[in-house]
């Protein structure tokens, strides 16, 4: 062509200029809707995170107990329903399994070919196995080691473990009850007569005294011996000795729950500020850095943690008055007194000028030690701070609630923009084909004229 450009290049440049305006409008609209959708996703994550903190506070956060014992005679585990108190424990003796043995010259000593070996565990005759030597040692080659295996592998083994103890000059066939306690004694007879075994360890129950109360157990594990308290016995006391067990409220767990509540509250307030107000990027950078530092300090691996707000998302929801109402309602709810008349300031939590909460950790710790029940009531009783905030958040996070509707509407708007973009692309492609045909025809005409004019030279 005259310009030196092909017909396709002409058509592409015309289409590029023609579609530029609408392409920019579509891009701007898509970016706006996507930023709003991302902002609502971030806000939803923060609200759900706070709901999780509320559930933790309303659960066992104020119920946790710790235990300690003055020596190593026992190990203590406690549940949240364990009553606080001090207990004196005396372990007279541990429970132990019955153990018998019989001497043989070696483990390869051949067994007799006649006789029935009966092994009973406990008082019930049904808990007995019979091993007929005529069957086990029919070929006269079976040894003491084979008898051990026959006992252990017997389908009806009543709860006895056979083993070989090598003493150097001979071997002991050891039989041990699998369960401890006096009731699980082992009785071994050959043809109904005592087989001549030596008792190595007597079957006995654990015997302890807890705050003057005598307790007997076939096991060294005393499960739920006090409501919510289990004791694993490790060793017996010398006469005159005893252990002191302490069960106390775990104030550190309660303190952490309150701190988590304050952190999630402040994070939510900050995010609403950023999403509904136009602030400089430095504010975002500082806020996100603070959050990253906090996450590192807490080593928080929560996959549902909200993402940081980008500069593009600043003020993207500034026209949403419902979010400002959410923010104000939450601030008002923590500013008012709890149902028991206490305020957050009574436990070291104050509202700062920027609408966030700050904690005096020393005052909170002391308050939890002085009156943990009153603080528990502040956060968990009917109408408590947790109840109030949960009631405020629920309309936003529930299924088909405010955030679901906003996200659904934005998804539809994005779909409409994408549909418009597709139609626009199709129309531009059609127009490109028209331009291409026109410029191709023009190019062919010009080429023909150039060819004809050459005949005159």
């Amino acid at each position: 062509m005259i310009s030196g450009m092909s017909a396709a290049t002409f058509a592409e440049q015309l289409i590029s200029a023609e579609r530029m305006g609408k392409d920019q409008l579509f891009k701007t609209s898509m970016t706006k809707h996507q930023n709003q959708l991302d902002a609502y996703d971030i806000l939803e994550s923060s609200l759900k995170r706070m709901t999780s903190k509320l559930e933790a506070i309303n659960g066992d956060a104020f119920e946790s107990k710790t235990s300690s014992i003055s020596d190593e005679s026992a190990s203590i585990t406690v549940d949240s329903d364990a009553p606080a108190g001090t207990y004196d424990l005396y372990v007279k003796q541990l429970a132990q399994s019955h153990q018998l043995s019989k001497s043989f010259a070696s483990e390869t000593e051949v067994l007799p070919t006649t006789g029935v070996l009966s092994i009973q565990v406990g008082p019930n005759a049904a808990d007995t196995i019979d091993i007929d030597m005529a069957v086990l040692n029919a070929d006269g080659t079976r040894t003491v080691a084979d008898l051990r295996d026959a006992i252990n592998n017997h389908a009806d083994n009543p709860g006895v473990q056979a083993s070989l103890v090598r003493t150097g000059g001979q071997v002991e066939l050891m039989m041990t009850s699998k369960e401890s306690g006096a009731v699980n004694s082992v009785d071994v007879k050959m043809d109904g007569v005592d087989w001549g075994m030596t008792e190595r360890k007597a079957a006995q129950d654990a015997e302890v005294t807890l705050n003057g109360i005598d307790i007997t157990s076939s096991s060294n594990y005393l499960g739920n011996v006090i409501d919510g308290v289990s004791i694993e016995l490790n060793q017996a006391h010398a006469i005159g000795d005893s252990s002191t067990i302490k069960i106390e409220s775990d104030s550190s767990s309660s303190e952490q729950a309150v701190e988590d509540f304050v952190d999630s509250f402040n994070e939510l307030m900050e995010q609403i500020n950023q999403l509904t107000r136009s602030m400089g990027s430095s504010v975002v950078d500082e806020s996100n850095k603070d959050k990253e530092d906090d996450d590192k300090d807490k080593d928080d691996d929560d996959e549902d943690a909200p993402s940081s707000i980008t500069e593009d998302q600043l003020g993207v929801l500034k026209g949403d008055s419902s979010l400002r109402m959410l923010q104000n309602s939450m601030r008002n709810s923590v500013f008012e007194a709890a149902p028991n008349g206490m305020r957050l300031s009574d436990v070291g939590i104050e509202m700062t000028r920027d609408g966030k909460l700050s904690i005096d950790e020393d005052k909170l710790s002391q308050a939890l030690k002085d009156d943990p029940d009153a603080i528990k009531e502040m956060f968990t009783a009917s109408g408590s701070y947790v109840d109030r905030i949960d009631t405020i958040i629920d309309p936003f996070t529930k299924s088909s609630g405010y955030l679901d509707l906003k996200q659904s509407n934005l998804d539809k708007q994005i779909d409409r923009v994408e549909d418009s973009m597709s139609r626009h692309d199709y129309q531009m492609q059609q127009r490109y084909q028209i331009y291409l045909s026109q410029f191709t025809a023009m190019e062919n005409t010009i080429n023909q004229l150039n060819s004809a004019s050459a005949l005159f030279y």
Side-chain angles (χ1 to χ4, degrees):
M1 294 186 72
I2 297 174
S3 66
M5 289 191 295
S6 67
T9 302
F10 262 123
E12 287 174 358
Q13 288 190 353
L14 283 174
I15 290 299
S16 178
E18 188 171 333
R19 69 177 301 163
M20 184 181 298
K22 274 195 172 182
D23 283 348
Q24 186 59 46
L25 286 175
F26 288 142
K27 180 180 179 181
T28 301
S29 181
M30 181 66 78
T31 300
K32 175 185 176 184
H33 295 328
Q34 190 60 57
N35 282 339
Q36 288 177 332
L37 183 60
D38 291 343
Y40 281 119
D41 288 343
I42 291 173
L43 188 60
E44 182 179 31
S45 295
S46 292
L47 287 170
K48 288 183 176 180
R49 190 179 186 186
M50 183 156 198
T51 298
S52 176
K53 301 300 183 185
L54 297 179
E55 290 175 353
I57 293 176
N58 222 0
D60 295 334
F62 290 94
E63 302 290 345
S64 296
K65 299 293 194 304
T66 59
S67 63
S68 62
I69 186 168
S70 59
D71 60 23
E72 298 180 353
S73 63
S75 302
I76 314 299
T77 56
V78 293
D79 296 331
S80 58
D81 60 342
T86 301
Y87 304 89
D88 184 74
L89 175 69
Y90 170 66
V91 183
K92 180 179 180 181
Q93 67 180 33
L94 297 178
Q96 60 186 25
S97 298
H98 198 199
Q99 197 170 73
L100 307 171
S101 74
K102 186 174 178 64
S103 298
F104 291 88
S106 72
E107 60 190 271
T108 58
E109 180 178 331
V110 177
L111 298 171
T113 56
T114 61
V116 176
L117 181 67
S118 300
I119 304 173
Q120 179 177 333
V121 178
N124 191 345
D127 295 327
T128 303
I129 57 172
D130 293 325
I131 299 177
D132 190 342
M133 294 298 174
V135 175
L136 175 65
N137 195 21
D139 59 2
T141 63
R142 300 299 178 181
T143 65
V144 174
D146 292 323
L147 177 58
R148 173 201 61 193
D149 296 339
I151 295 170
N152 291 337
N153 298 330
H154 199 288
D156 298 320
N157 187 310
V160 65
Q161 178 70 43
S163 58
L164 296 180
V165 179
R166 298 161 186 84
T167 63
Q170 58 185 19
V171 67
E172 295 284 328
L173 175 63
M174 190 82 70
M175 295 191 196
T176 307
S177 171
K178 293 182 179 180
E179 300 291 336
S180 61
V183 72
N184 295 308
S185 61
V186 180
D187 185 35
V188 183
K189 289 184 170 62
M190 177 68 80
D191 292 333
V193 179
D194 182 76
W195 200 31
M197 300 194 78
T198 302
E199 184 176 68
R200 300 298 180 180
K201 188 182 290 185
Q204 71 180 30
D205 292 334
E207 294 182 7
V208 303
T209 301
L210 186 66
N211 276 14
I213 301 174
D214 293 330
I215 299 173
T216 301
S217 171
S218 63
S219 167
N220 287 316
Y221 179 74
L222 309 180
N224 210 38
V225 64
I226 306 168
D227 288 339
V229 180
S230 296
I231 302 174
E232 179 76 33
L233 303 177
N234 298 327
Q235 62 187 35
H237 283 109
I239 296 176
D241 291 344
S242 66
S243 304
T244 299
I245 298 172
K246 290 185 177 180
I247 312 296
E248 301 173 296
S249 295
D250 185 5
S251 60
S252 63
S253 175
S254 303
E255 186 172 347
Q256 185 61 56
V258 174
E259 290 177 356
D260 287 345
F261 164 77
V262 169
D263 288 343
S264 58
F265 179 92
N266 288 341
E267 180 183 294
L268 184 58
M269 295 299 102
E270 179 66 19
Q271 286 189 345
I272 294 177
N273 281 340
Q274 292 177 348
L275 294 173
T276 58
R277 293 177 181 170
S278 296
M279 299 187 295
S281 61
S282 61
V283 177
V284 180
D285 293 340
E286 183 179 350
S287 174
N288 288 340
K289 182 180 184 302
D290 290 343
K291 182 180 182 301
E292 290 173 0
D293 291 343
D294 288 343
D295 289 343
K296 289 178 182 178
D297 291 341
K298 297 176 182 178
D299 196 24
D300 188 357
D301 295 329
D302 188 355
E303 293 181 357
D304 295 328
S307 303
S308 298
I309 292 173
T310 65
E311 186 174 352
D312 291 338
Q313 291 164 338
L314 280 176
V316 73
L317 303 180
K318 61 184 176 183
D320 193 335
S321 60
S322 295
L323 298 186
R324 306 301 301 180
M325 181 180 67
L326 167 66
Q327 188 181 53
N328 291 333
S329 296
M330 290 185 63
R331 285 172 175 165
N332 290 336
S333 70
V334 297
F335 186 76
E336 298 172 355
N340 64 356
M342 293 184 66
R343 294 181 177 274
L344 289 178
S345 57
D346 296 332
V347 297
I349 302 175
E350 299 280 356
M351 180 76 74
T352 61
R353 294 182 63 182
D354 61 358
K356 298 180 184 178
L357 299 177
S358 66
I359 303 177
D360 182 332
E361 294 183 359
D362 291 338
K363 188 172 181 179
L364 175 61
S365 297
Q366 191 60 49
L368 284 167
K369 292 177 182 178
D370 292 343
D371 197 349
D373 290 338
I375 300 176
K376 173 186 173 182
E377 187 176 352
M378 286 176 66
F379 287 96
T380 64
S382 177
S384 65
Y385 290 117
V386 168
D387 273 1
R388 293 174 188 172
I389 293 181
D390 192 49
T391 300
I392 293 169
I393 290 177
D394 183 63
F396 287 82
T397 58
K398 69 180 181 181
S399 178
S400 299
Y402 182 80
L403 291 180
D404 276 357
L405 293 176
K406 282 290 186 180
Q407 290 162 328
S408 177
N409 287 337
L410 285 168
D411 282 333
K412 292 176 182 177
Q413 291 180 50
I414 289 174
D415 288 342
R416 284 196 291 268
V417 173
E418 289 176 341
D419 289 342
S420 297
M421 291 172 68
S422 295
R423 288 194 300 270
H424 183 54
D425 284 338
Y426 177 77
Q427 292 168 356
M428 291 298 99
Q429 183 62 34
Q430 293 297 101
R431 191 173 291 273
Y432 169 78
Q433 294 299 330
I434 293 172
Y435 287 151
L436 181 61
S437 297
Q438 291 174 341
F439 287 125
T440 299
M442 182 185 299
E443 188 175 36
N444 290 336
T445 299
I446 292 173
N447 288 336
Q448 290 173 3
L449 291 173
N450 288 336
S451 297
S453 65
L455 297 174
F456 297 97
Y457 294 99

